Amino acid sequence: MVDEFSIEGNLDDEPVSEVLCGQLGTLVDCVRDRQGLIGSVTLVFTDDEQMRKLNAQYRDKDRTTDVLSFDLGPSVDLPGEVETGYKEIYISVAQARRQATELGVDLTEELGRLFVHGLLHLSGWDHETEEKLNLMEKETDAILAHIGLLSQ
């Protein structure tokens, strides 16, 4: 089970709305229920420059990207408690905005799509093959549709 969910950062110098926070929290719950995701999740909205640096440091790709996921390992180990883990997902708001425009969807849907993509990675999914990518995209669409964020 996801113990905690938090959001850091802003959307173009504006705080994240309560509506969007609620939708993102619902996405976490949905992925938890469907995939057994456990631990605490922090979503960090950032810019292209920070994403470029993270992508270069952790993936040896010196360019921006849309979403990065990190499983930072077990959270505080309390006697008698199950280790659940701490996870972070970074999303470039600028890249998400560009992709939303290219796809003809609103920013909320694209942010949701990227967030679910990151959550699925943290649940053990990968897209090393075309077949795995297609399966991951279908699961993403199913989750977005389940909470009413899929426009198509």
Side-chain angles (χ1 to χ4, degrees):
M1 299 289 207
V2 172
D3 303 320
E4 237 179 81
F5 169 59
S6 61
I7 299 174
E8 296 178 7
N10 296 313
L11 298 178
D12 300 327
D13 297 325
E14 292 184 24
V16 179
S17 73
E18 286 185 34
V19 171
L20 181 56
C21 286
Q23 290 169 321
L24 295 169
T26 300
L27 287 172
V28 172
D29 292 341
C30 190
V31 172
R32 178 199 68 216
D33 293 344
R34 291 173 70 104
Q35 301 298 322
L37 180 68
I38 59 172
S40 297
V41 176
T42 298
L43 171 59
V44 181
F45 289 121
T46 190
D47 59 22
D48 283 340
E49 183 59 23
Q50 183 178 16
M51 287 298 277
R52 184 194 64 75
K53 289 176 183 175
L54 290 170
N55 206 22
Q57 181 177 355
Y58 293 102
R59 298 181 64 228
D60 293 322
K61 297 180 180 186
D62 192 16
R63 62 181 183 269
T64 194
T65 190
D66 50 8
V67 60
L68 291 171
S69 304
F70 299 96
D71 188 335
L72 303 174
S75 51
V76 178
D77 187 14
L78 301 174
E81 296 284 326
V82 175
E83 290 185 2
T84 59
Y86 182 76
K87 298 148 179 43
E88 289 183 342
I89 297 174
Y90 289 76
I91 294 176
S92 167
V93 175
Q95 184 65 26
R97 194 174 294 284
R98 287 190 293 271
Q99 290 173 191
T101 299
E102 289 171 12
L103 295 170
V105 299
D106 65 28
L107 180 61
T108 299
E109 181 178 341
E110 185 61 12
L111 291 172
R113 178 175 304 287
L114 295 173
F115 187 45
V116 170
H117 185 91
L119 290 168
L120 289 176
H121 275 302
L122 293 172
S123 298
W125 289 67
D126 69 56
H127 45 81
E128 298 301 316
T129 66
E130 192 70 28
E131 181 181 356
K132 287 182 175 183
L133 176 62
N134 289 336
L135 289 171
M136 194 170 183
E137 288 175 345
K138 284 181 184 178
E139 180 66 5
T140 299
D141 285 349
I143 292 166
L144 292 173
H146 181 74
I147 72 154
L149 268 183
L150 189 63
S151 63
Q152 303 168 20

